[in-house]
Amino acid sequence: MQLFDDAHRMGKKVAVHVHGVEGMRFAVDAGIDTLEHCPFRAHGRIEYDAQLVADMVALYWVGMWLGVAARNPKRAFTDTVGRILALPWVAWALFMTFVALFSIRHQFEAGWKAVLGMYFILGVATDIGFGLWARQNMISQFRVVATQRYQSRGSFWKRLFGSGAEHKTE
């Protein structure tokens, strides 16, 4: 397609959101670089990936809570991505290391369903755990944290040497 060719000529990558297997085939044939958040249409209905939905909900709550609670937006972003997207991969890598060591020692072979199932379980467990934690914090502590964040802290020198009010006597 002309649009994709123009983008590639300018050095840009093309990402699309598609629905259904036919849409995926069309996009790949047209020369796109990446497919994003694709619900699958099968048997006349849309089937979403449960892991994707759990990640999206957890990212929403954790990102919102850390965005309010953190003083640095970059820190809030990295903490959110680390907890929801990176931690399951790290836990899965440790699990796979354990499985590999166990299989070498005991002549055991884990099937692909067990391997993918464990990644799904780890991912959904971290999504539920951190998502509920962040939701509870948003509900119970939002006003306090938001008020503290936006209160004037005064200048650096006032905080360093004090405002002088504590030295007044009556």
Side-chain angles (χ1 to χ4, degrees):
M1 290 189 78
Q2 184 66 35
L3 178 66
F4 299 156
D5 293 338
D6 291 344
H8 287 139
R9 263 195 304 279
M10 292 187 286
K12 304 290 184 188
K13 294 200 181 261
V14 178
V16 296
H17 293 256
V18 297
H19 294 274
V21 176
E22 296 83 21
M24 290 178 194
R25 285 187 187 129
F26 176 77
V28 170
D29 290 343
I32 61 95
D33 297 301
T34 180
L35 297 170
E36 302 294 334
H37 311 295
C38 307
F40 293 94
R41 187 175 303 275
H43 309 295
R45 62 187 175 147
I46 294 177
E47 298 176 2
Y48 286 98
D49 178 14
Q51 180 80 43
L52 174 66
V53 173
D55 282 347
M56 288 172 35
V57 171
L59 284 168
Y60 170 79
W61 282 107
V62 174
M64 192 168 21
W65 169 246
L66 293 177
V68 170
R71 294 220 180 258
N72 183 337
K74 289 179 185 175
R75 173 80 187 255
F77 172 78
T78 55
D79 285 355
T80 300
V81 170
R83 290 176 187 184
I84 303 303
L85 301 178
L87 184 62
W89 281 101
V90 171
W92 187 69
L94 291 172
F95 169 76
M96 289 306 298
T97 302
F98 174 75
V99 167
L101 293 174
F102 186 78
S103 66
I104 290 171
R105 189 168 188 189
H106 298 288
Q107 300 299 321
F108 166 77
E109 187 174 322
W112 67 269
K113 289 182 181 180
V115 170
L116 291 178
M118 182 51 78
Y119 177 74
F120 177 78
I121 290 168
L122 290 170
V124 171
T126 57
D127 289 344
I128 290 171
F130 284 119
L132 290 175
W133 165 79
R135 183 179 182 275
Q136 179 60 34
N137 284 342
M138 279 296 289
I139 291 169
S140 65
Q141 300 176 25
F142 175 75
R143 287 185 178 162
V144 173
V145 172
T147 303
Q148 289 173 350
R149 180 174 179 175
Y150 295 107
Q151 283 179 341
S152 174
R153 295 190 302 163
S155 72
F156 169 77
W157 297 108
K158 264 191 180 174
R159 283 184 280 139
L160 184 63
F161 294 113
S163 64
E166 60 272 1
H167 300 294
K168 290 183 180 178
T169 58
E170 292 186 32

